[in-house]
Amino acid sequence: MKRLGILCPGQGGQHPAMFDLVAECPEAQPAFQAAAAVLGEDPRRWVSSRPPEGLFQNRWAQPLICTATLAAWSVLEPRLPQPVAFAGYSLGELAAYGCAGALAPAEALRLACLRAELMNAAAQPPSGLVAVRGLAAPVVERLCREIGAEIAIVNASDHYVLGAPATHLPALERRARTLGACTVQRLPVDVASHTSFMTSAARQFEAALERARFRDPRIPVLAAGDGRLVRDRETAVRMLAAQLAATVQWARCLEGLYELGCRVLLELPPASGLARMATEAYPHVAARAVEDFRTAAGAADWVARQMR
C-alpha cells in the first residue's frame, strides 16, 4: 500500500504570492491571525507591501515561511489521507512539528521569530551559505578545510550546502569551480545555518524549546540532523535545537521516508525544491509541491490519484 509523506521547506523559495493559494480559506485564518500578532501586521499584507528582497531577510523570512506552511497544512489536512511522517528542511523542521500537532500555530511562529533572532545574534562576523553540486564528499571536505568552511546540509552524495564567514565566500565559490563543481550558487540566506557558527544560538534555542508549550507530535517527524523518526517531545526538543549548529542530513530524511513506504510526497508552500530533490533521488516516487497547483483542492486530488 502506498503511503504519504509531507515535506516542509526551509528558506529560499519565498515569494510575494506565497499566501495566495489559501489566503481566503477559512481553515487558514488562525495561522494568519497568529502571524499578524507576531509580525504586527497581517502577513498577506506584509508580503505585498514590502520590497521582494525583504522576504529574504532572516528575521522576516523564518516566520513568514512558517506561516505559509502552517496555513497550507490547515487547509490540506482534512482533504488528505493521514501522512506517515513529516520531514522538514532546516526551518521546515520547526514548521513540521506545528503541522504534526506538537506546537500550536502561535507557539510555532513565536519560536520561528526567536530562532531567527538568535541566529542573527550568533552570525558575528557576518556569514552565509553556498550550494555546491558535482563534487564527491572527500573533495568537499578538502574544500572546507582549505577555505575554513563547514558542511551545512547534505542533500545528496554530490549536492552540498556549505557555510562560511562572508569574507570567505568568494574564495569558496572560486575554489569550488576550480575543483570541478557543476553548480556553485550563493544562497539568499545571511547566516551560516547548521554550522558551528550557530553554537550559541543552538544552546539558547534549546532552553527556549524546553520552556515552550511543546507536546509529543501526533504524527512522527524525521529529525533533520540524522533522519531518525521522532515521536516524543524530549527528543524533538533536543534534535530541533541541535540542527542549528550541526549538519542537516536531508538525504537521510528522504531515505527515511522511502523506508517508511512513502511513495507519494507532497511539499507544502512556499517552495518546490524538496519535491524536485525527492524525484532526483527516487525517480519512481511521486513527488509534487502544492505550489505546482492552482488550488489546494487540486493538490489534494493529485495525492488521491497517486495513492490508488
Side-chain angles (χ1 to χ4, degrees):
M1 183 178 71
K2 293 180 180 178
R3 293 180 171 182
L4 173 65
I6 300 295
L7 310 176
C8 299
Q11 295 191 53
Q14 56 269 40
H15 54 89
M18 61 196 288
F19 301 124
D20 288 2
L21 199 70
V22 298
E24 303 304 323
C25 296
E27 305 97 320
Q29 300 316 304
F32 290 131
Q33 291 165 6
V38 167
L39 295 169
E41 184 178 354
D42 189 301
R44 293 163 290 189
R45 188 178 304 114
W46 197 103
V47 298
S48 64
S49 63
R50 301 295 202 286
E53 56 267 24
L55 292 171
F56 295 92
Q57 294 176 3
N58 196 43
R59 60 177 297 198
W60 304 117
Q62 296 204 34
L64 288 170
I65 292 165
C66 198
T67 300
T69 301
L70 294 173
W73 179 246
S74 67
V75 175
L76 285 162
E77 183 179 14
R79 295 170 165 84
L80 296 175
Q82 180 169 301
V84 173
F86 290 88
Y89 191 90
S90 186
L91 166 70
E93 187 177 6
L94 176 61
Y97 280 107
C99 295
L103 293 165
E107 190 73 339
L109 291 167
R110 181 186 70 81
L111 290 167
C113 288
L114 177 61
R115 185 179 187 272
E117 291 171 8
L118 294 174
M119 293 172 73
N120 284 346
Q124 299 299 329
S127 55
L129 298 173
V130 174
V132 176
R133 299 194 71 166
L135 299 179
V139 179
V140 171
E141 291 165 0
R142 190 178 90 207
L143 170 63
C144 287
R145 289 194 298 270
E146 289 180 6
I147 302 298
E150 297 180 25
I151 297 174
I153 306 174
V154 179
N155 288 321
S157 60
D158 66 344
H159 185 185
Y160 298 85
V161 176
L162 310 180
T167 53
H168 294 32
L169 295 177
L172 175 60
E173 292 171 300
R174 288 193 301 270
R175 184 60 175 146
R177 292 189 181 96
T178 300
L179 290 169
C182 59
T183 300
V184 179
Q185 181 182 4
R186 184 87 60 97
L187 300 183
V189 179
D190 52 10
V191 295
S193 315
H194 319 300
T195 69
S196 63
F197 301 106
M198 294 291 112
T199 299
S200 63
R203 287 197 299 264
Q204 293 175 76
F205 194 50
E206 183 169 12
L209 288 169
E210 289 283 7
R211 297 190 298 268
R213 296 184 293 276
F214 202 125
R215 302 176 291 273
D216 292 345
R218 292 194 304 269
I219 298 168
V221 176
L222 288 159
D226 60 8
R228 75 177 70 181
L229 201 62
V230 179
R231 302 178 184 274
D232 64 281
R233 178 192 190 277
E234 181 182 358
T235 306
V237 165
R238 186 174 72 254
M239 299 303 294
L240 193 53
Q243 60 112 301
L244 280 182
T247 303
V248 164
Q249 300 287 347
W250 184 246
R252 292 185 191 172
C253 290
L254 290 178
E255 182 181 7
L257 288 169
Y258 190 83
E259 289 178 353
L260 287 168
C262 295
R263 298 299 182 267
V264 182
L265 299 175
L266 185 66
E267 180 179 357
L268 298 178
S272 57
L274 301 183
R276 289 195 300 272
M277 281 193 270
T279 51
E280 287 176 7
Y282 300 96
H284 55 289
V285 168
R288 294 284 298 276
V290 175
E291 293 269 310
D292 294 341
F293 301 90
R294 289 184 295 173
T295 64
D301 288 345
W302 174 83
V303 170
R305 292 194 301 272
Q306 301 307 311
M307 297 289 286
R308 291 173 188 155

